[in-house]
Amino acid sequence: MMKEMEAVAKAIEEARLIAVSSHENPDGDSLGSHLGLTLVLRSRGKAVFSSLPEPERYPPQYRFLPGRDHLSSPGEMEGIPDLFVALDCSNLDRLGELRQLAERAGLLVNIDHHEDNRMFAPINLVDPEASSTSEIVFKLVRGAGWKVGADVATCLYTGVITDTGRFQHLNTKPETFMVAYQLALEGADISRVGKEVYESQSLPYTRLLGITLQRVEVIEEYGLAYSYITRADLAETGASLPETEDLIDYLRSVRGTRMAAVFKELEDGRVRVSLRSRDEFQVGPIARALGGGGHASAAGYTSQRDLQGSLEELLDALREARGGS
Ligand code: 5GP
Ligand code: MN
């Protein structure tokens, strides 16, 4: 790990134009690590092209993050970057249309904490033991002796608390609190992060939450709690999909279940499926079997089937995973 960290720091020091990106369907950790690193690179005098594969899906609860003004749209990049840094991506497809730029860059660096990371770059700074990609970025910046400061700390702290479910999931280690402590010392705005991320939901989303919770079903055979969101629900309430990231946590809370699934109907008719598990049960392998990926206890994929079809597909995969028929 130390060796890769030094190699990444050196690559950054030597590069002039650096592109930074993170995965589709952005979340707190992809955005926190992405914007935090963008700010660090800018303060080190680098020319930075910072962009998201799906800028239109930026979740409103992360609008407050410092550094968001520095984001460009994917098509705006001019020239070939000396270095491309991919954050929180287990494989190159997670970069969407920015994948081509990553492949053309002088050097590619992969910073991530997914256990299914494909080690797709010449330099892979990948630590599945880390709570979050933001934690790895913090250690990188600290290790290199670069300045952190309050804005960067706020971004990275957001990544740590969202990926650990506020220091609650199995990926929370004693070290996670050490990192949070150091980010707090750097001036992370802890109460603002909590308020913006967890206590600023829109009225339309609050109503959508009601509709979705009303529909929860439990299939006892699999210990599965599930619900779904249709395009009509979004139209009726005025809510948007990116703000529904945490909704699944309510389903995971149903006692007696071991996993939760939320099926979200996309504009093109496909269905985004989010999976979460309780305790030791692993949803990562199930998401991978269905063409997606993620962590042991938080994973996802996109199904080509409709809502009913994607539920059947998941139940088939669960049956298969159990080794029965
Ligand atoms: P979410 O349910 O929040 O969309 O995703 C949960 C976790 O699974 C995140 O860590 C995310 O990066 C990962 N994930 C979600 N969808 C995919 C996918 O299609 N491919 C891969 N490789 N990972 C995914
Ligand atoms: Mn992450």
Side-chain angles (χ1 to χ4, degrees), residues 134-193:
S134 297
E135 174 178 329
I136 303 175
V137 169
F138 175 70
K139 289 176 179 162
L140 166 71
V141 174
R142 263 299 181 79
W146 301 333
K147 185 175 173 298
V148 180
D151 282 350
V152 172
T154 294
C155 290
L156 300 180
Y157 178 78
T158 299
V160 172
I161 64 162
T162 54
D163 257 27
T164 59
R166 294 182 256 187
F167 306 110
Q168 195 173 305
H169 302 329
L170 289 170
N171 60 348
T172 310
K173 314 269 164 66
E175 183 148 356
T176 318
F177 293 98
M178 208 56 208
V179 170
Y181 166 72
Q182 286 167 350
L183 290 170
L185 283 181
E186 289 283 350
D189 195 342
I190 288 164
S191 71
R192 173 116 200 254
V193 172

Side-chain angles (χ1 to χ4, degrees), residues 48-306:
V48 185
F49 173 74
S50 186
S51 182
L52 289 171
E54 297 182 303
E56 71 287 356
R57 303 200 46 140
Y58 194 101
Q61 65 271 33
Y62 302 118
R63 275 195 200 128
F64 77 101
L65 286 176
R68 197 169 78 86
D69 308 344
H70 302 309
L71 288 175
S72 313
S73 51
E76 276 177 315
M77 175 75 196
E78 280 168 16
I80 307 281
D82 304 315
L83 176 66
F84 188 109
V85 184
L87 293 155
D88 207 35
C89 292
S90 50
N91 63 69
L92 274 175
D93 284 336
R94 302 285 287 149
L95 287 171
E97 65 174 284
L98 283 160
R99 181 187 171 133
Q100 283 92 331
L101 187 66
E103 286 170 332
R104 280 207 313 266
L107 181 61
L108 177 59
V109 160
N110 164 19
I111 304 181
D112 185 33
H113 70 129
H114 288 89
E115 60 179 19
D116 58 346
N117 191 286
R118 302 258 179 83
M119 302 291 184
F120 52 80
I123 304 177
N124 301 293
L125 178 53
V126 175
D127 180 7
E129 292 297 308
S131 65
S132 52
T133 299
S134 297
E135 174 178 329
I136 303 175
V137 169
F138 175 70
K139 289 176 179 162
L140 166 71
V141 174
R142 263 299 181 79
W146 301 333
K147 185 175 173 298
V148 180
D151 282 350
V152 172
T154 294
C155 290
L156 300 180
Y157 178 78
T158 299
V160 172
I161 64 162
T162 54
D163 257 27
T164 59
R166 294 182 256 187
F167 306 110
Q168 195 173 305
H169 302 329
L170 289 170
N171 60 348
T172 310
K173 314 269 164 66
E175 183 148 356
T176 318
F177 293 98
M178 208 56 208
V179 170
Y181 166 72
Q182 286 167 350
L183 290 170
L185 283 181
E186 289 283 350
D189 195 342
I190 288 164
S191 71
R192 173 116 200 254
V193 172
K195 214 172 298 163
E196 297 281 357
V197 178
Y198 297 106
E199 293 173 3
S200 297
Q201 68 195 33
S202 68
L203 180 58
Y205 171 59
T206 308
R207 291 187 170 138
L208 177 69
L209 189 58
I211 295 174
T212 314
L213 295 184
Q214 190 76 45
R215 283 185 190 141
V216 175
E217 295 286 344
V218 170
I219 301 184
E220 283 181 15
E221 191 185 349
Y222 299 110
L224 168 71
Y226 74 90
S227 187
Y228 57 91
I229 300 171
T230 67
R231 298 308 300 175
D233 297 331
L234 297 178
E236 188 188 313
T237 58
S240 69
L241 275 187
E243 59 188 327
T244 66
E245 184 186 318
D246 291 333
L247 187 151
I248 193 165
D249 292 331
Y250 290 89
L251 275 65
R252 191 202 327 233
S253 315
V254 179
R255 199 195 317 214
T257 62
R258 56 179 192 169
M259 70 174 284
V262 174
F263 299 86
K264 303 175 182 179
E265 192 178 33
L266 300 175
E267 249 162 278
D268 61 11
R270 293 184 305 159
V271 175
R272 258 299 310 149
V273 186
S274 285
L275 302 178
R276 299 290 185 272
S277 59
R278 288 166 76 105
D279 308 323
E280 303 294 338
F281 185 72
Q282 300 206 353
V283 287
I286 295 161
R288 275 194 284 289
L290 292 167
H295 305 287
S297 53
Y301 61 96
T302 302
S303 171
Q304 306 300 322
R305 312 268 297 269
D306 63 7

